Amino acid sequence: MNQPVIVTDIARADAAAADALAEHGVATVHEAMGRTGLVGPDIRPIQDGVRIAGTAVTILQAPGDNLMIHAAVEQCRDGDVLVIATTSPSTDGAFGDLFATALKARGVRGMITTGGVRDIADLREMDFPVWSRAVHSQGTVKATPGSVNVPIVVDGAVVNPGDVVIADDDGIVVVPRLQAEAVVAAAEARVAKEAADRDAYGSGRELSLDRKGLRPLLADLGVEYVTQAEYDGGGR
């Protein structure tokens, strides 16, 4: 770990852009960004049917130690999402309902961690959304310095302080702070296109093969249409 720091004056993405991205969800935003920014599949929600988006306050902390979460609460404000990474793999339950109580009072929309969480019945009851690598009651200490509001890596995705983080049942995607408004426009265009596709498929007017122009691609790739008799007798 580099010199431990707590950065107090981060620039955050536009709040309206973050709210707009929440409406579109992880899969749509990921596709709209050219299939970038996606957090790996090991970080999963502890609840169902919840979607959030907000600006990232980041923590880099030692495994088995939650000292820097205590320090980070002070840096959080309305509309943020707390995002935690450890310097080496850890599933210890460094986060629970007391932290969630403090964060919720500050308007924080949820928490994402590469580590473990506990008190999940309480977290669900208090409607504080969490995405984590593990649910584990293993306790932690408060002894090791770390950093708040520095770049971190969460299951393969880089998260910078102030980036927009979207999380739902499909996973987590990170939108760089300076790209947030452009990604909103791209996501809205994708939603409009998908709505037209959905109408065409739902009415039975078109197949995706034709609407997306995929028949020539099949032919170019050497895929043939044959009858069952041709298949059975053609040595395939």
Side-chain angles (χ1 to χ4, degrees), residues 199-233:
D199 179 66
Y201 303 154
S203 67
R205 294 194 310 271
E206 290 183 82
L207 297 172
S208 58
L209 274 176
D210 299 311
R211 187 170 180 85
K212 296 183 180 297
L214 297 176
R215 292 189 191 276
L217 176 59
L218 289 175
D220 290 344
L221 293 173
V223 179
E224 301 178 44
Y225 284 84
V226 299
T227 66
Q228 185 67 55
E230 288 170 331
Y231 181 81
D232 292 341

Side-chain angles (χ1 to χ4, degrees), residues 164-191:
V164 179
V165 180
I166 304 102
D168 60 21
D169 289 344
D170 291 336
I172 306 158
V173 68
V174 183
V175 178
R177 176 176 64 86
L178 296 178
Q179 297 178 27
E181 294 183 27
V183 174
V184 170
E188 289 174 348
R190 183 174 181 85
V191 167

Side-chain angles (χ1 to χ4, degrees), residues 21-133:
L21 288 168
E23 296 180 10
H24 298 307
V26 170
T28 295
V29 172
H30 169 59
E31 294 281 2
M33 281 203 303
R35 299 178 183 174
T36 62
L38 196 62
V39 171
D42 290 341
I43 312 299
R44 302 300 306 153
I46 67 164
Q47 64 284 311
D48 295 322
V50 174
R51 177 185 294 164
I52 65 169
T55 43
V57 168
T58 63
I59 300 175
L60 183 62
Q61 64 184 21
D65 193 310
N66 68 5
L67 173 63
M68 299 315 296
I69 304 179
H70 290 274
V73 171
E74 184 180 25
Q75 304 306 317
C76 293
R77 71 185 196 193
D78 186 46
D80 284 340
V81 174
L82 188 65
V83 187
I84 304 170
T86 54
T87 55
S88 61
S90 175
T91 59
D92 295 345
F95 186 95
D97 71 303
L98 290 178
F99 278 136
T101 299
L103 291 172
K104 192 169 183 178
R106 300 179 78 85
V108 174
R109 294 176 175 177
M111 191 278 295
I112 296 163
T113 179
T114 63
V117 297
R118 59 186 185 181
D119 306 328
I120 63 170
D122 295 322
L123 293 172
R124 291 168 180 160
E125 177 68 24
M126 65 190 295
D127 193 28
F128 188 83
V130 166
W131 285 254
S132 70
R133 187 182 302 278

